[in-house]
Amino acid sequence: MEDLEHKGFKAVPSEYFSGKAFLKTLVAADEVTNCNISDVAFEKGCRNNWHTHPSNQILIVKEGVCYYQEEGKPIQKFAVGEVINILPGIKHWHGASPDEPMVHIAININTDKGMVNWMEPVTDEQYNG
């Protein structure tokens, strides 16, 4: 998690995350490419707020362990190389484990439908399962 700014990462808006997270856009959506691909780095214990996507979001874990939870279901843990396909409209959150940082690739398809609908923060009780 050191020296991320020199690697092209920028801090994400703190109102949508508990803890520090950083984003590096790899492919920006435009009039030709209806997809956005980014690396997202989470410090240990960091997670994003509950949210939904108007189209699929695909996460690929690059470093650490990704905590992922859909509303009403238990937390799942994904290791390096594992993939999560989040269907449209599914309320969920994701973030790093309490023990180590985590980096995942986030692929947002059909960006013409929108990117993300942010909701309330994940409580410590929810995060700790």
Side-chain angles (χ1 to χ4, degrees):
M1 298 301 296
E2 296 176 20
D3 207 30
L4 287 175
E5 290 184 10
H6 288 100
K7 295 179 181 177
F9 284 82
K10 297 185 186 320
V12 299
S14 61
E15 66 264 28
Y16 303 127
F17 289 78
S18 298
K20 291 185 180 178
F22 304 86
L23 182 131
K24 178 181 179 181
T25 301
L26 304 173
V27 176
D30 58 26
E31 62 278 349
V32 176
T33 305
N34 196 16
C35 178
N36 183 283
I37 304 173
S38 300
D39 275 344
V40 186
F42 296 75
E43 291 187 339
K44 68 180 181 178
C46 177
R47 69 267 189 184
N48 52 30
N49 288 6
W50 288 99
H51 61 283
T52 63
H53 300 280
S55 191
N56 291 52
Q57 183 184 55
I58 301 162
L59 305 178
I60 304 169
V61 183
K62 291 178 67 173
E63 297 177 28
V65 175
C66 180
Y67 275 32
Y68 171 79
Q69 184 177 26
E70 293 179 0
E71 186 176 42
K73 297 184 180 179
I75 293 173
Q76 299 176 63
K77 298 174 185 176
F78 291 86
V80 171
E82 292 189 299
V83 177
I84 308 162
N85 182 23
I86 306 159
L87 298 178
I90 298 294
K91 186 175 178 181
H92 69 284
W93 65 267
H94 36 100
S97 76
D99 304 317
E100 63 182 328
M102 185 272 295
V103 179
H104 65 50
I105 299 170
I107 303 168
N108 294 292
I109 62 171
N110 301 318
T111 53
D112 59 324
K113 295 180 180 180
M115 291 278 287
V116 62
N117 303 306
W118 290 111
M119 299 173 181
E120 71 276 7
V122 174
T123 66
D124 289 342
E125 292 77 22
Q126 291 168 325
Y127 177 74
N128 293 315

